Structure formats: structure tokens, C-alpha cells
């Protein structure tokens, strides 16, 4: 499936995106650039049938992050422990996912693409048990693996050089949506031709992923009561916090080696400056992911008392775009723990300077692994109990818990 192509340098990905969309690097030109994009509406297809089918290899891209051969790049990716900042990797994956989709939807007759492609969802990022060194080259690769009418699933992998060989580090699945030139409504994308049993399996997996997301959403605790087993779990936790000295539902005490959920919270605030904008002059999704991840990592570190390592990122839904100039409020808390695993939920909401109303933009789910066993986390209220069960569901959906290894170093 993969067609030989020379890798793009990581610094050129955003430049290539600007070129495809036809926007300026100058913030002061953004209004004019967006006006010019309106003229591209005529290139949009009226139905999917009007678009030429594409192969998976048409969207296949390799991107090189040469940390080994270009040491001047390291500073941006370096942690104080001399490992790699995972938040920066999230930014690179987000940009790459968008570029892959533009390769799939390329219109040769148009100077700029009439589509506005944005990240809708980070379905899954699973880490492999491999150390990440800031002194070895990294390679990303990816392609479109499934398409709907207006959405595309992108599979990406990341590798790091060990000796003479690039070894797998992570697998990522993102879902992107195509919108019209002004980013106002949905737009059709090219259908996909499947050329081998391997590609048919990838496409089938994309269909299954879509079905799983629908099922997960329909059984959400915001819509449906917990299962009988989950209700029993919560009731047993509640009973274990009752004070045996007083026969009262009101008197609560923490069991040994446990922390109240409300005491695990951390918060942060970001001012969304033009520097963090994407090609459509909204705040770059990768920046939001990095900030949420770093707060989540700090929450896990604070809770577990030792350095946590990321194991999985799961189900990040981009519900609303974040405008430049917004205030971004991030709130993070531990919602589930088991052995040396910490499940962290980060909630993000925005308020504009003119309007004080807060709106949820994202909910992030991160699974961390600590170097030692961590305390149990206990909900005190019914709302926290639902957060606990939601955290447990996300933890259980992880592909396979990684073994705790000293060479497993991926940090903020």
C-alpha cells in the first residue's frame, strides 16, 4: 500500500497546510484571506459521486523529526529529565492528520483547497513499550483508512531510530471532518478504493470504530443509568466510607491509602493568542491537546507522588472551535485508579472577553502509569461517582495495559 516518498521535514508540515488552504502567515491578513476563501465554494462537490475515488496510498505521508541529526530541534521537545515532551508529539500528530486528509481530497484544478478540514476526534493513541530519546530521529507516517460522506479516519504511527532501524513507538487514530470554504457546513470527501485484503480490513476496522463510538455515546452516563454491576461498585465504595462509630449516612471517613476525588483537582487558565492559531484562524487543536495533557500529567504527578508516564489517550472530542482571544479554562482531576494506573479527565471550557458565559469545548481522557502503586480515589457525591464510572470505562477500553518499565519514558 505504501508508495515510496521522501519524508517531509516536520517544520514544513504547517507551511504546506497554509499553502494548500491559501492563507497568509501574517495575522493582520487573516480577514482578507478568509474573504478570498469564499470564492472557492464553486469547487465544492454537490455529492460524493461527483468526486474521483482515491487509494489509501494517495494520502500516505512520512514526516521526519530529525532530533538526532539536527540537535537544534531538541530544545522544543525536551523535558528536564532528558526525555521527550509528549504534548509536542500531540501537536505534530494533529497537523499531520489534517495534511493527510488534504492529500486524500486534493483537487488538481484548484489553486487552493475549497475544503476546511478540522480534527473532530482523537479516537485513540496507544503507546508501545519503547523509550523515547531526545537524541534519536523520529519518523511519523499515516494515511486515510476509512471515509464516510464528510468525515475521514486517519491512522498514524510514530517510530524512533534504534541503531539502523525505525521501531514503532505509538499508534494513533484520528477522525477528521471536511467543511466548506468558510468552515460553516459539512462538505463531501472523495470515496476510497480498497486494493488489498489488508486495506479492506483497515476499512472494516474504521466501520467498527464508528459503531463502537455510537454505542459508547448511547450508553453514556449522561444519558443512561449505570449497569447493575457499576451500581454495586459505587454502593460498596460508599459503604466503605461510612464511619463505623456513628450509624449515619452523613458521617464519612476515608479508607486507608485513599484520597477524596475532589482533592485531586488542578486548574489552569490560558489566554489564546494569535500565535496559537490554526490555518482557519481558530486556536490550533494540537495546542489545546498539549495544554490539557500537561495539566493532566501534573495532576497525575501530584496525585501519585512520582513521575507518571502516559500509556493511552482516548476519546478526545472537539465539540466547539476556540476563537483567538478567548480565555481557556482547564480543569483536571483523577477519576479512577488501579494499582499503579491513574485515569485523568481534563475538562476545557472557553469564555470570550466580551461574553462571560462559559462553554465546554473538549473533554480529554488520559491514562498514566506511575512508578509505584498509587492511592485509591473515592467519590463523595453522586456526580463524582459518575465520573469514577466513566473513568473506569475509559480505563477498561485501553487496548492493553503496558508493563511498568524503566525505559518507558514519555513525559509532558
Amino acid at each position: 500500500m505504501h508508495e515510496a516518498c521522501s519524508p517531509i521535514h516536520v517544520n514544513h508540515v504547517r507551511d504546506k497546510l497554509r499553502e494548500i488552504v491559501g492563507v497568509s502567515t501574517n495575522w493582520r491578513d487573516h480577514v482578507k484571506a478568509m474573504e478570498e476563501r469564499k470564492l472557492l465554494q464553486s469547487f465544492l462537490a454537490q455529492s460524493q459521486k461527483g468526486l474521483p475515488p482515491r487509494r489509501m496510498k494517495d494520502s500516505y505521508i512520512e514526516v521526519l523529526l530529525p532530533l538526532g541529526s539536527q540537535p537544534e530541534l531538541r530544545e522544543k521537545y525536551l523535558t528536564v529529565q532528558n526525555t521527550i515532551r509528549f504534548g509536542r508529539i500531540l501537536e505534530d500528530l494533529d497537523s499531520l492528520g489534517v495534511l493527510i486528509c488534504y492529500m486524500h481530497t486534493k483537487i488538481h484544478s484548484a489553486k487552493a483547497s475549497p475544503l476546511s478540514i478540522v480534527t473532530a476526534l482523537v479516537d485513540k493513541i496507544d503507546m508501545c513499550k519503547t523509550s523515547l530519546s531526545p537524541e534519536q530521529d523520529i519518523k511519523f507516517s499515516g494515511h486515510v483508512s476509512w471515509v464516510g460522506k464528510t468525515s475521514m479516519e486517519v491512522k498514524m504511527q510514530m517510530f524512533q531510530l534504534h541503531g539502523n532501524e525505525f521501531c514503532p513507538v505509538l499508534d494513533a487514530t484520528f477522525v477528521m471532518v471536511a467543511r466548506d470554504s468558510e468552515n460553516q457546513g459539512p462538505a463531501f470527501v472523495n470515496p476510497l478504493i480498497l486494493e488489498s485484503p489488508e486495506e479492506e480490513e483497515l476499512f472494516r476496522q474504521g466501520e467498527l470504530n464508528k459503531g463502537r463510538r455510537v454505542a459508547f455515546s448511547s450508553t453514556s452516563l449522561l444519558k443512561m443509568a449505570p449497569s447493575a454491576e457499576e451500581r454495586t461498585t459505587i454502593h460498596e465504595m460508599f459503604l466503605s466510607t461510612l464511619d463505623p462509630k456513628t450509624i449515619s449516612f452523613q458521617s464519612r471517613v476515608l479508607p486507608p491509602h485513599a484520597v477524596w476525588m475532589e482533592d485531586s483537582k488542578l486548574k489552569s487558565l490560558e489566554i489564546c493568542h494569535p500565535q496559537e492559531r490554526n490555518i482557519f484562524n481558530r486556536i490550533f487543536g494540537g495546542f489545546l491537546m498539549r495544554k490539557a495533557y500537561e495539566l493532566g500529567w501534573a495532576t497525575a504527578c501530584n496525585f501519585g507522588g512520582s513521575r507518571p508516564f502516559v500509556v493511552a489517550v482516548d476519546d478526545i472530542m472537539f465539540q466547539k472551535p476556540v476563537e483567538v482571544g478567548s480565555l481557556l479554562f482547564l480543569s483536571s482531576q483523577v477519576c479512577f485508579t488501579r494499582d499503579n494506573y491513574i485515569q485523568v479527565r481534563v475538562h476545557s471550557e472557553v469564555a470570550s472577553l466580551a461574553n462571560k458565559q462559559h462553554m465546554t469545548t473538549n473533554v480529554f481522557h488520559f491514562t498514566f502509569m506511575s512508578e509505584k502503586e498509587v492511592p485509591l480515589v473515592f467519590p463523595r457525591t453522586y456526580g463524582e461517582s459518575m465520573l469514577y464510572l466513566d473513568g473506569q470505562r475509559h480505563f477498561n477500553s485501553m487496548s492493553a495495559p503496558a508493563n511498568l518499565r524503566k525505559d518507558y519514558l514519555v513525559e509532558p
Side-chain angles (χ1 to χ4, degrees):
M1 178 188 63
H2 302 156
E3 230 162 43
C5 61
S6 54
I8 303 166
H9 192 288
V10 73
N11 287 352
H12 297 156
V13 172
R14 296 285 284 273
D15 297 339
K16 219 169 169 58
L17 285 171
R18 285 192 195 94
E19 196 182 304
I20 290 166
V21 178
V23 295
S24 165
T25 52
N26 289 330
W27 168 245
R28 64 176 177 272
D29 297 335
H30 75 282
V31 175
K32 179 169 166 274
M34 289 296 118
E35 283 299 315
E36 285 171 2
R37 279 193 61 74
K38 286 182 186 176
L39 306 174
L40 297 168
Q41 292 282 56
S42 60
F43 286 100
L44 292 169
Q46 298 310 300
S47 75
Q48 196 172 35
K49 288 193 183 79
L51 291 164
R54 294 280 152 80
R55 303 165 302 171
M56 286 193 189
K57 64 174 78 162
D58 292 333
S59 60
Y60 180 77
I61 302 176
E62 290 186 356
V63 170
L64 192 63
L65 169 54
L67 296 174
S69 44
Q70 294 182 11
E72 64 275 13
L73 285 173
R74 284 180 205 158
E75 192 88 347
K76 180 181 169 185
Y77 289 86
L78 200 59
T79 72
V80 71
Q81 283 86 15
N82 203 40
T83 59
I84 283 183
R85 292 174 63 181
F86 185 66
R88 290 293 188 199
I89 299 301
L90 288 174
E91 291 184 324
D92 292 339
L93 287 170
D94 195 46
S95 295
L96 175 59
V98 175
L99 183 58
I100 286 167
C101 290
Y102 274 119
M103 293 294 111
H104 176 80
T105 57
K106 206 173 199 172
I107 299 174
H108 298 288
S109 59
K111 184 165 162 269
S113 173
L115 298 177
S116 304
I117 294 172
V118 293
T119 308
L121 174 78
V122 176
D123 188 55
K124 210 118 191 78
I125 300 176
D126 287 315
M127 302 299 302
C128 306
K129 294 180 295 181
T130 314
S131 62
L132 287 190
S133 158
E135 292 166 17
Q136 301 295 332
D137 286 2
I138 281 174
K139 185 174 75 175
F140 300 92
S141 69
H143 60 85
V144 169
S145 52
W146 173 89
V147 297
K149 283 199 162 43
T150 62
S151 60
M152 294 160 278
E153 181 190 87
V154 176
K155 292 258 185 229
M156 291 175 281
Q157 282 187 297
M158 176 173 144
F159 306 85
Q160 183 153 46
L161 199 59
H162 285 278
N164 298 321
E165 192 185 348
F166 276 105
C167 301
V169 171
L170 67 74
D171 289 304
T173 306
F174 281 43
V175 177
M176 308 298 196
V177 291
R179 298 176 66 77
D180 62 26
S181 312
E182 297 178 71
N183 204 355
Q184 299 295 319
F188 293 106
V189 299
N190 304 61
L192 198 57
I193 304 169
L194 307 175
E195 297 185 305
S196 68
E198 180 202 10
E199 291 187 3
E200 282 167 17
E201 177 54 31
L202 279 174
F203 193 87
R204 193 183 70 84
Q205 192 59 52
E207 287 286 346
L208 289 174
N209 288 344
K210 185 186 174 187
R212 173 179 50 77
R213 287 192 292 271
V214 170
F216 204 84
S217 168
S218 64
T219 57
S220 161
L221 293 163
L222 293 168
K223 297 175 187 171
M224 280 183 74
S227 68
E229 189 184 347
E230 288 174 329
R231 289 198 295 272
T232 303
T233 298
I234 291 303
H235 194 65
E236 284 173 355
M237 290 182 87
F238 171 71
L239 293 178
S240 71
T241 65
L242 294 181
D243 188 346
K245 298 191 192 76
T246 62
I247 307 166
S248 162
F249 288 127
Q250 299 299 321
S251 187
R252 310 278 295 279
V253 288
L254 265 177
H257 194 57
V259 175
W260 289 120
M261 192 184 281
E262 66 192 27
D263 295 332
S264 72
K265 282 184 182 176
L266 284 182
K267 293 188 175 188
S268 72
L269 166 69
E270 296 292 332
I271 301 166
C272 298
H273 295 291
Q275 184 189 4
E276 310 302 344
R277 73 191 184 281
N278 66 12
I279 48 179
F280 306 113
N281 294 304
R282 300 267 177 58
I283 294 300
F284 171 46
F287 169 77
L288 301 175
M289 284 197 275
R290 175 165 66 84
K291 287 297 175 184
Y293 172 77
E294 287 172 355
L295 183 64
W297 184 89
T299 304
C301 185
N302 195 42
F303 182 86
S306 68
R307 204 168 61 187
F309 308 116
V310 65
V311 180
V313 181
D314 176 36
D315 192 28
I316 299 173
M317 181 81 78
F318 288 84
Q319 294 170 21
K320 282 191 171 65
V322 177
E323 301 293 341
V324 171
S326 304
L327 297 177
L328 178 71
F329 296 87
L330 293 169
S331 173
S332 171
Q333 71 187 113
V334 174
C335 53
F336 176 79
T337 60
R338 180 180 293 165
D339 303 327
N340 53 334
Y341 290 101
I342 304 170
Q343 188 68 36
V344 177
R345 181 181 191 271
V346 183
H347 180 263
S348 87
E349 53 188 36
V350 293
S352 69
L353 295 174
N355 180 358
K356 301 287 193 295
Q357 192 182 353
H358 286 220
M359 285 194 306
T360 298
T361 59
N362 303 75
V363 178
F364 303 84
H365 301 275
F366 300 108
T367 309
F368 292 98
M369 188 170 63
S370 185
E371 287 177 313
K372 58 187 185 189
E373 199 164 311
V374 299
L376 295 169
V377 67
F378 269 77
R380 202 196 281 263
T381 64
Y382 186 79
E384 287 181 349
S385 298
M386 295 306 99
L387 283 179
Y388 181 89
L389 293 177
D390 188 55
Q392 185 180 53
R393 287 179 181 186
H394 281 286
F395 178 79
N396 290 338
S397 76
M398 191 170 51
S399 293
N403 296 321
L404 183 59
R405 282 178 32 170
K406 285 283 178 284
D407 62 349
Y408 189 95
L409 301 175
V410 190
E411 297 184 45

